[in-house]
């Protein structure tokens, strides 16, 4: 047994995750009634979601309290990259929808969901989340509120004694260590998550809405493999794909199965550390990205809204499509502040075409049906691009300063 554990531990984390993925898929088909296996996935995601708010709050507060004057100097570049990549995602979705127009079979409306009534409500939700009670923000994983209060407390604690600042560093290191322990359990969590997905849904999800799923997945893959790498190339003037594939493999893979950008924050933090990025930067940009860097959400909102317009025979011209891209970009940034994520923002985009709310809610219902695949792909794109854009921003500023840049350090190859 000791030799078996030793051999298992000697494998890289990605290799162990792939083993868990394959075994979960096989057992999901061969023994779908062994539902106890799914508990492993629930425990893993539950642990990540529980520790992520604490990790973000402590890391951001500690980083700002102990930051030098030049700390977190890349945030302006990071935010610009987040916004540009999200807009590009929406524009790619518009182009894809024009080239491969989709229609929907609308039968049943989604129940027990309340979409925002307009862009003003989305912005209001964001602002109210900023001033939420900090204890409630931690308890409810309100990352906008967590970030806001962590920044306030971190800036205030810059004037604290050296002993207090050291305590924050030690606390940050302790929480990070606990997160690493949870991450080491990822193969077992992925094993349970894959088993649950395969045993519950099988492959029928591909047949009922295959063309719509192909368009959504195609747009997300195009952003992952074409537009985002091109954006990185423009900034760094180097082959972006080693960094792109590193982010997709080590962030996108786990995000695909956890289906939560927030739950994947610890994985992204760990990857940033192994990429040799500045902790002052990524401890702020990664949780921020989980909130506003929503390429996949912009794609979902745009494709589903245009499919609804096509279904009703509504003609969409290019200026309107451009406005939809901007609206989807702004709305996607507010997705995490609205219960139900990106799907509940579809009625907001549909209103641009005068589509009634009861019809729009039927589109949301279709979104929930395909959500098993759509949401997984969306989260994988969102989460992996958080690390990609964070790394790009830091390397871009180093390049501007005349420093030599390395996209993927050799020591991060684990």
């Amino acid at each position: 047994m000791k030799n078996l554990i030793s051999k298992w531990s000697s494998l890289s984390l990605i290799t162990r995750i792939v083993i868990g993925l394959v075994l979960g898929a096989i057992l999901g088909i061969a023994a779908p009634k062994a539902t106890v296996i799914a508990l492993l996935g629930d425990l893993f995601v539950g642990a990540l979601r529980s520790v992520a708010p604490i990790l973000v709050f402590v890391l951001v507060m500690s980083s700002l309290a102990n930051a030098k004057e030049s700390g977190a100097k890349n945030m302006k570049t990071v935010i610009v990259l987040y916004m540009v990549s999200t807009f590009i995602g929406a524009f790619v979705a518009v182009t894809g929808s024009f080239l491969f127009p989709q229609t929907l079979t609308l039968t049943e409306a989604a129940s027990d969901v309340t979409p925002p009534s307009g862009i003003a409500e989305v912005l209001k939700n964001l602002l109210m989340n900023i001033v939420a009670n900090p204890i409630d923000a931690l308890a409810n994983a309100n990352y906008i509120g967590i970030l806001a209060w962590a920044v306030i407390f971190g800036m205030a604690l810059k004037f604290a004694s050296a002993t207090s600042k050291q305590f924050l560093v030690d606390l940050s290191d302790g929480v990070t260590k606990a997160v690493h322990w949870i991450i080491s359990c990822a193969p077992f969590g992925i094993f349970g998550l894959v088993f649950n997905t395969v045993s519950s849904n099988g492959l029928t999800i591909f047949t009922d809405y295959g063309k719509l799923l192909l368009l959504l997945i195609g747009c997300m893959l195009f952003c992952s493999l074409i537009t985002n790498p091109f954006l990185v190339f423009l900034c760094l003037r180097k082959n972006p794909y080693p960094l792109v594939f590193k982010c997709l493999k080590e962030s996108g893979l786990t995000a695909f199965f956890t289906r939560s950008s927030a739950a994947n924050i610890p994985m992204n933090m760990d990857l940033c550390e192994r990429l040799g990025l500045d902790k002052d930067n990524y401890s702020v940009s990664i949780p921020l990205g989980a909130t506003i860097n929503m390429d996949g959400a912009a794609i979902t909102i745009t494709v589903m809204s245009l499919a609804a317009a096509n279904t009703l025979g509504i003609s969409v011209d290019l200026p309107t499509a451009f406005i939809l891209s901007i609206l989807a970009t702004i709305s996607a940034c507010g997705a995490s502040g609205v219960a139900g994520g990106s799907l509940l923002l579809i009625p907001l985009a549909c209103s641009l075409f005068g589509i009634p709310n009861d019809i729009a809610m039927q589109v949301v219902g279709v979104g929930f049906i395909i959500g098993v695949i759509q949401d997984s792909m969306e989260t994988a794109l969102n989460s992996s691009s958080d690390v990609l854009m964070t790394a790009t921003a830091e390397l871009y500023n180093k390049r501007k300063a005349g420093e030599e840049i390395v996209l993927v350090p050799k020591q991060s190859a684990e």
Side-chain angles (χ1 to χ4, degrees):
M1 178 62 73
K2 186 177 292 186
N3 289 335
L4 184 63
I5 294 174
S6 177
K7 288 181 179 179
W8 173 257
S9 301
S10 66
L11 297 174
S12 70
L13 180 62
I14 295 301
T15 302
R16 283 179 277 162
I17 287 176
V18 171
I19 292 172
L21 189 157
V22 173
L23 290 177
I26 293 173
L27 285 178
I29 296 172
K33 294 185 178 179
T35 53
V36 68
I37 297 175
L39 180 62
L40 292 172
D42 294 338
L43 289 172
F44 175 66
V45 174
L48 281 179
R49 286 178 174 166
S50 297
V51 76
I54 301 171
L55 174 71
V56 169
F57 184 73
V58 171
L59 276 181
V60 172
M61 183 170 58
S62 175
S63 294
L64 292 177
N66 290 278
K68 300 172 184 177
E69 291 301 319
S70 59
K73 55 185 175 297
N74 302 319
M75 290 311 300
K76 181 179 178 181
T77 308
V78 169
I79 292 172
V80 170
L81 287 174
Y82 282 168
M83 292 294 95
V84 170
S85 64
T86 300
F87 175 78
I88 291 174
F91 188 77
V92 166
V94 166
T95 305
S97 295
F98 273 49
L99 293 174
F100 307 100
Q102 300 296 313
T103 56
L104 306 171
T105 301
L106 304 178
T107 53
E108 297 181 2
S111 59
D112 300 325
V113 290
T114 304
S117 58
I119 193 67
E121 185 174 343
V122 173
L123 296 176
K124 178 184 176 183
N125 287 336
L126 286 173
L127 292 174
M128 292 306 296
N129 282 338
I130 290 175
V131 296
N133 182 292
I135 304 300
D136 287 342
L138 284 168
N140 298 317
N142 165 19
Y143 285 93
I144 284 286
I146 291 170
L147 277 171
W149 288 111
V151 168
I152 291 171
F153 289 138
M155 293 177 66
L157 287 168
K158 284 183 70 70
F159 304 98
S161 65
T163 304
S164 298
K165 291 183 179 180
Q166 184 59 45
F167 169 75
L168 289 177
V169 172
D170 294 340
L171 181 62
S172 173
D173 291 342
V175 174
T176 302
K177 185 67 174 178
V179 169
H180 284 172
W181 290 342
I182 296 172
I183 291 174
S184 67
C185 299
F188 304 102
I190 297 298
F191 170 61
L193 289 167
V194 173
F195 170 85
N196 187 43
T197 300
V198 173
S199 63
S200 300
N201 301 283
L203 302 177
T204 57
I205 193 69
F206 291 107
T207 58
D208 296 335
Y209 293 97
K211 291 182 179 179
L212 179 61
L213 268 173
L214 282 176
L215 178 57
L216 285 164
I217 292 171
C219 290
M220 293 177 191
L221 287 176
F222 190 85
C223 286
S224 297
L225 301 175
I226 305 297
T227 60
N228 280 352
F230 183 69
L231 191 58
V232 174
F233 173 77
L234 288 179
C235 293
L236 304 182
R237 297 295 192 271
K238 282 197 171 190
N239 176 13
Y241 285 100
L243 179 60
V244 169
F245 290 139
K246 182 77 171 176
C247 294
L248 287 174
K249 183 175 74 170
E250 299 199 21
S251 173
L253 181 65
T254 53
F256 181 90
F257 294 107
T258 60
R259 294 171 61 187
S260 170
S261 294
N264 213 50
I265 286 174
M267 309 293 282
N268 283 350
M269 294 279 200
D270 183 65
L271 176 56
C272 286
E273 181 181 356
R274 286 184 286 112
L275 287 173
L277 302 182
D278 188 340
K279 192 173 182 178
D280 284 344
N281 294 319
Y282 72 72
S283 62
V284 178
S285 66
I286 291 300
L288 180 65
T291 304
I292 70 168
N293 184 35
M294 295 287 174
D295 311 31
I299 290 171
T300 298
I301 293 167
T302 303
V303 168
M304 298 297 285
S305 301
L306 288 174
N310 292 333
T311 302
L312 299 177
I314 299 172
S315 178
V316 181
D317 56 22
L318 287 177
T320 305
F322 182 76
I323 294 172
L324 174 63
S325 299
I326 297 175
L327 179 63
T329 301
I330 298 172
S331 299
C333 295
S336 63
V338 182
S342 61
L343 293 178
L344 288 187
L345 293 166
I346 292 172
L348 175 60
C350 284
S351 66
L352 184 65
F353 310 119
I355 297 174
N357 192 60
D358 59 336
I359 299 296
M361 289 308 294
Q362 292 185 49
V363 180
V364 175
V366 173
F368 280 122
I369 293 172
I370 65 173
V372 173
I373 304 299
Q374 167 268 325
D375 193 38
S376 295
M377 288 296 299
E378 177 182 313
T379 309
L381 171 59
N382 291 341
S383 191
S384 62
S385 63
D386 290 348
V387 181
L388 181 65
M389 297 307 164
T390 293
T392 299
E394 183 166 324
L395 294 173
Y396 171 72
N397 286 327
K398 286 185 177 180
R399 175 177 166 266
K400 282 177 57 181
E403 299 179 35
E404 181 67 25
I405 59 174
V406 179
L407 270 64
V408 181
K410 291 183 179 180
Q411 61 267 28
S412 73
E414 191 258 333

